Amino acid sequence: MAASSNSSLSGSSVSSDAEEYQPPIWKSYLYQLQQEAPRPKRIICPGEVENRPKYYGREFHGIISREQADELLGGVEGAYILRESQRQPGCYTLALRFGNQTLNYRLFYDGKHFVGEKRFESIHDLVTDGLITLYVETKASEYISKMTTNPIYEHIGYATLLREKVSRRLSRSKNESRKTSVANEEHTAVEKVHTFRGPHWCEYCANFMWGLIAQGVRCSDCGLNVHKQCSKHVPNDCQPDLKRIKKVYCCDLTTLVKAHNTQRPMVVDICIREIEARGLKSEGLYRVSGFTEHIEDVKMAFDRDGEKADISANIYPDINIITGALKLYFRDLPIPVITYDTYPKFIEAAKISNADERLEAVHEVLMLLPPAHYETLRYLMIHLKKVTLNEKDNFMNAENLGIVFGPTLMRSPEDSTLTTLQDMRYQKLIVQILIENEDVLF
């Protein structure tokens, strides 16, 4: 199986002609292994255990020896218990059965459970991820060690194959006005460990990214998803091309706009057009949520079909699904519409008591936004102003919309719950000001 998966790209070569692009062949071998991995089997303690930590459940057996733990597991693959160390009271151990032996791991808790770098909400998730990792890395150790030898990176659009063509196109437009151009900026990729929901494949080696959480890393600039070990081989510059870029959501706003050579992300244009055509009078517009599953369907449609995605009333009669998909797009941006760099300046502007001075300060900070962010925000505020003009029907004024869109368009660069709570009223106020004064500010 491994050999056949590896050979799928062995004869491929990188074409210099964008028209000859063929989608990469994603390899399923590691995905199949994950499906075959043993499932967790919790061995419950029959009696109550004194001094059981409140964050452990019935799988905790108190102070027992390794030999007793081994006996309790009964040789069942995937079986596990938790125990307190005999030698070090107050220290806890996960005893897990895998590969016909009992493995013992020192267990920690700091609000989440962990034995290594990954942190989990529950012991069950920790054990599930551990069994997947053990199984995949045991069965496919040689395959994994060779994953980076036959990359598909150049095939999927994040490489710089078309750099000269793109540079020429951008140089022609560099003298255009601020509101209609996109900056041609050089930037260095920043990769962060990421948890992917649902199956994901590495966009460097085309192999499955296994595990429950922190399966790989994501480039915060272009959204490239790769294994941690593959990230070492990826060039640290990003320049996607339209024919190769794979997604719309979770992709950097400037990156997407540059790839499509448009003023704004097409998902913003399409959603707003649909909302204005049939939803401006809908009660609670943007405040009322649509079904999450249907919103995810819209997201998948844009990622799959791009500007050809069908979000008409025939497919999604509930306009709240479309508003939900638009809000999700903004929430999923690696860099918010109101960027991390400008966030503190907007907050400071919101704190100015004099209304005229506050408006002038907001205008000055707007000028600091990257062109794609500025244009997207301008277009959205024009739309939200139209929403407020229908307040008698939809009951949504600028203040209500500020409550909805404040945390959607603005996120503090500090990962602090306290900061977020303190800034919420200023986030709301900034969006409210932008809506009420869109004709003056933009």
Side-chain angles (χ1 to χ4, degrees):
M1 187 183 302
S4 63
S5 296
N6 258 333
S7 64
S8 61
L9 290 170
S10 59
S12 64
S13 60
V14 178
S15 170
S16 60
D17 187 351
E19 298 300 323
E20 296 180 10
Y21 166 67
Q22 295 295 323
I25 300 172
W26 305 105
K27 305 171 188 177
S28 62
Y29 176 47
L30 299 180
Y31 175 75
Q32 293 167 13
L33 285 183
Q34 172 160 312
Q35 298 300 97
E36 297 168 6
R39 299 292 185 264
K41 300 176 182 64
R42 183 172 70 146
I43 306 300
I44 295 175
C45 182
E48 281 295 325
V49 179
E50 289 186 8
N51 300 321
R52 180 180 72 191
K54 61 182 180 180
Y55 39 83
Y56 295 146
R58 296 285 300 281
E59 70 274 6
F60 183 76
H61 288 251
I63 299 178
I64 61 174
S65 66
R66 289 193 174 202
E67 292 74 17
Q68 290 172 303
D70 191 46
E71 184 176 345
L72 287 169
L73 294 174
V76 179
E77 199 77 347
Y80 72 96
I81 65 168
L82 307 183
R83 64 183 180 86
E84 186 172 359
S85 172
Q86 285 184 319
R87 298 177 181 175
Q88 294 178 289
C91 295
Y92 304 100
T93 299
L94 165 68
L96 173 65
R97 192 73 184 175
F98 177 81
N100 297 319
Q101 59 181 322
T102 299
L103 307 175
N104 291 276
Y105 298 95
R106 179 79 175 271
L107 190 60
F108 302 91
Y109 181 82
D110 63 353
K112 291 187 178 181
H113 304 277
F114 62 102
V115 297
E117 292 182 356
K118 294 185 179 182
R119 282 165 164 72
F120 300 84
E121 295 290 347
S122 69
I123 292 293
H124 179 84
D125 286 349
L126 184 153
V127 175
T128 301
D129 186 83
L131 287 169
I132 289 170
T133 301
L134 287 167
Y135 189 82
V136 170
E137 295 182 357
T138 298
K139 292 285 186 179
S141 58
E142 183 177 354
Y143 181 89
I144 292 171
S145 69
K146 297 179 179 178
M147 284 194 310
T148 60
T149 60
N150 190 22
I152 61 155
Y153 177 76
E154 290 84 0
H155 297 256
I156 62 172
Y158 297 87
T160 56
L161 291 177
L162 303 183
R163 179 180 294 281
E164 292 182 2
K165 184 183 292 185
V166 173
S167 296
R168 286 197 297 271
R169 187 185 72 212
L170 291 172
S171 66
R172 287 197 299 270
S173 62
K174 67 181 180 179
N175 294 321
E176 295 179 8
S177 68
R178 174 181 179 81
K179 296 184 182 180
T180 58
S181 67
V182 176
N184 179 17
E185 300 174 349
E186 291 290 332
H187 61 279
T188 300
V190 179
E191 293 166 342
K192 296 181 179 179
V193 174
H194 189 78
T195 293
F196 300 94
R197 298 179 180 177
H200 269 72
W201 273 255
C202 175
E203 294 167 332
Y204 181 83
C205 72
N207 282 289
F208 180 66
M209 302 171 76
W210 65 92
L212 286 190
I213 69 166
Q215 302 97 326
V217 298
R218 165 173 286 172
C219 174
S220 60
D221 288 328
C222 69
L224 178 70
N225 302 319
V226 293
H227 293 110
K228 192 172 182 179
Q229 59 265 50
C230 291
S231 68
K232 301 172 185 176
H233 302 274
V234 178
N236 66 352
D237 58 340
C238 312
Q239 183 61 67
D241 178 74
L242 174 59
K243 292 186 179 296
R244 300 163 197 252
I245 199 163
K246 286 175 50 275
K247 58 191 175 182
V248 174
Y249 280 70
C250 301
C251 181
D252 174 68
L253 196 155
T254 298
T255 300
L256 187 68
V257 167
K258 287 169 69 176
H260 287 262
N261 195 25
T262 57
Q263 292 178 254
R264 300 173 297 275
M266 46 89 170
V267 63
V268 174
D269 283 5
I270 294 171
C271 285
I272 287 179
R273 189 160 57 240
E274 189 70 23
I275 294 163
E276 292 185 354
R278 60 183 173 98
L280 286 178
K281 296 182 184 298
S282 178
E283 183 176 340
L285 189 68
Y286 286 111
R287 178 179 55 79
V288 177
S289 299
F291 285 111
T292 302
E293 290 183 4
H294 295 165
I295 292 171
E296 286 292 328
D297 286 343
V298 174
K299 173 182 176 179
M300 290 175 62
F302 277 115
D303 282 341
R304 181 183 64 245
D305 304 325
E307 62 185 12
K308 295 181 180 179
D310 185 356
I311 61 170
S312 65
N314 293 333
I315 308 297
Y316 302 104
D318 182 5
I319 197 64
N320 298 310
I321 295 169
I322 310 306
T323 59
L326 181 59
K327 289 187 294 182
L328 179 63
Y329 171 75
F330 290 129
R331 286 198 303 272
D332 278 355
L333 286 173
I335 301 174
V337 175
I338 291 178
T339 60
Y340 292 125
D341 289 344
T342 59
Y343 179 90
K345 296 181 177 67
F346 273 108
I347 296 297
E348 288 305 312
K351 294 178 180 179
I352 298 174
S353 57
N354 182 279
D356 291 336
E357 293 178 5
R358 183 171 59 215
L359 192 64
E360 181 60 31
V362 169
H363 182 262
E364 289 178 3
V365 184
L366 278 174
M367 294 299 102
L368 301 177
L369 288 173
H373 289 249
Y374 178 92
E375 172 58 24
T376 301
L377 187 62
R378 183 192 71 83
Y379 190 73
L380 177 63
M381 291 305 118
I382 293 173
H383 163 66
L384 294 181
K385 185 65 171 287
K386 293 178 184 177
V387 173
T388 64
L389 295 178
N390 290 270
E391 182 186 352
K392 288 183 179 179
D393 298 299
N394 60 38
F395 301 104
M396 295 300 290
N397 57 28
E399 183 178 3
N400 293 336
L401 291 169
I403 294 171
V404 173
F405 277 95
T408 301
L409 300 176
M410 306 176 69
R411 295 197 298 273
S412 171
E414 299 177 25
D415 188 16
S416 166
T417 303
L418 180 60
T419 301
T420 301
L421 292 173
Q422 290 173 339
D423 289 351
M424 282 183 67
R425 61 175 175 152
Y426 300 116
Q427 293 174 349
K428 181 213 71 169
L429 181 57
I430 285 295
V431 175
Q432 182 179 343
I433 290 170
L434 293 175
I435 295 171
E436 292 174 342
N437 302 277
E438 57 83 17
D439 55 335
V440 175
L441 289 171
F442 295 96

